[in-house]
Amino acid sequence: MKPIQVLLLCGGQSEEHDVSLASARSVLKAAGPTFEIIPMIIDRSGKVHPPEASHALLRGKRPGTIEATAITDLPHRCYDVVFPLLHGPFGEDGSVQGLLKLVGLPHVGSSILGSAVGMDKIVMKQVFAGHGFPQVSSQPVTRREWSTDPDSVLSACATLDLPLYVKPANLGSSVGISRVEKSGELGPALDEALAYDRRGIVEQGLVGVRELEVALLGNDHPASSPLGEIRYDSDFYDYRTKYTDGLAELHIPAPVSAEVTARCKDLARKAFLAIDAAGLARVDFFYRPEDGAIFLNEINTMPGFTPTSMYPKLWEAAGLSYRTLIDRLLELALEER
């Protein structure tokens, strides 16, 4: 029986380009015989490299002449399903998902709506607020507001207590995020975040909380993994801590009560359905042992996908191997929704 042809899109134009390539290398190594994985790298300019060149680049080799094409020229009739293993803008935000929908190709993960809402921290929080989910307080900021009326922005943010976290609205892997301990640090933090995106968000920091995560797998009836906990010594879970071996510890299952575990899993599933996510997602929480409060932090619709990433690790703890997880995601992509 002929293997199912899978187009693996990786790389991308966002600051998470290298993270995507690392995930793609892992998928290529682990995929089973049922699926034939054909990689195509999207470079930082948005051009797509053909499979032969992409294979070489993923192996760390320099290919010969590269005839990159526009992503709109994808030979979509050659593939049965797409794995858009892209993180951040121009990949995880609904843009590529919209193109794939136009050409009639099924794909792993959320469609346009779920991807866009999950990527945009401001809209995501608004949707979650509409469902009454517990969250930290926050203040949205635009680049124009900050450049034309900084006093009003600082005044609005003064309603939040220190420490604060300042983030671009549409980015992942902790890129562009700053922790603000003193009021004088807020301006430079906003400059940093708004250099990456025209919209940013200032969030209330919490003291004495633990960071918990749940992985979801499925479409309209997602299954949840064991609850996990991330621990680290840095001020927050920044890019270096996330992607440097030994700087963060994963504890699976998280050493919390069965009641906290159940609440997190229930809230994770509700968040998944609230944004119309599909296929996979990782949902992150803050847990405050002092009073038992749980805060929904965010949902990530295309989390890191190396064997050491939190999403596969959570499913490995549930008895689902990395290869089986890949196969299951591709099967979900081919399901009718």
Side-chain angles (χ1 to χ4, degrees), residues 31-32 85 125 145 183 214 233 265 304 307 312:
L85 194 47
K125 284 182 175 293
E145 289 170 340
S183 58
V214 175
D233 292 327
K265 287 188 175 186

Side-chain angles (χ1 to χ4, degrees), residues 210 212 227 253-264 287 292 294:
R210 295 162 62 180
L212 308 177
L227 184 68
V256 297
S257 69
E259 186 263 344
V260 169
T261 297
R263 286 164 60 197
C264 287
Y287 166 55
I294 292 173

Side-chain angles (χ1 to χ4, degrees), residues 269-280:
R269 181 178 176 277
K270 289 177 178 176
F272 186 95
L273 297 175
I275 70 164
D276 194 35
L280 74 164

Side-chain angles (χ1 to χ4, degrees), residues 231-299:
R231 295 181 185 175
Y232 47 86
D233 292 327
S234 55
D235 287 338
F236 66 98
Y237 198 31
D238 58 15
Y239 187 95
R240 178 172 174 268
T241 305
K242 282 185 177 181
Y243 299 111
T244 304
D245 288 343
L247 293 187
E249 296 180 354
L250 310 181
H251 295 264
I252 309 172
V256 297
S257 69
E259 186 263 344
V260 169
T261 297
R263 286 164 60 197
C264 287
K265 287 188 175 186
D266 179 62
L267 190 51
R269 181 178 176 277
K270 289 177 178 176
F272 186 95
L273 297 175
I275 70 164
D276 194 35
L280 74 164
R282 194 195 68 234
V283 185
D284 304 342
F285 302 92
F286 297 123
Y287 166 55
R288 190 164 59 199
E290 176 185 339
D291 58 3
I294 292 173
F295 302 89
L296 176 57
N297 181 24
E298 64 180 23
I299 185 169

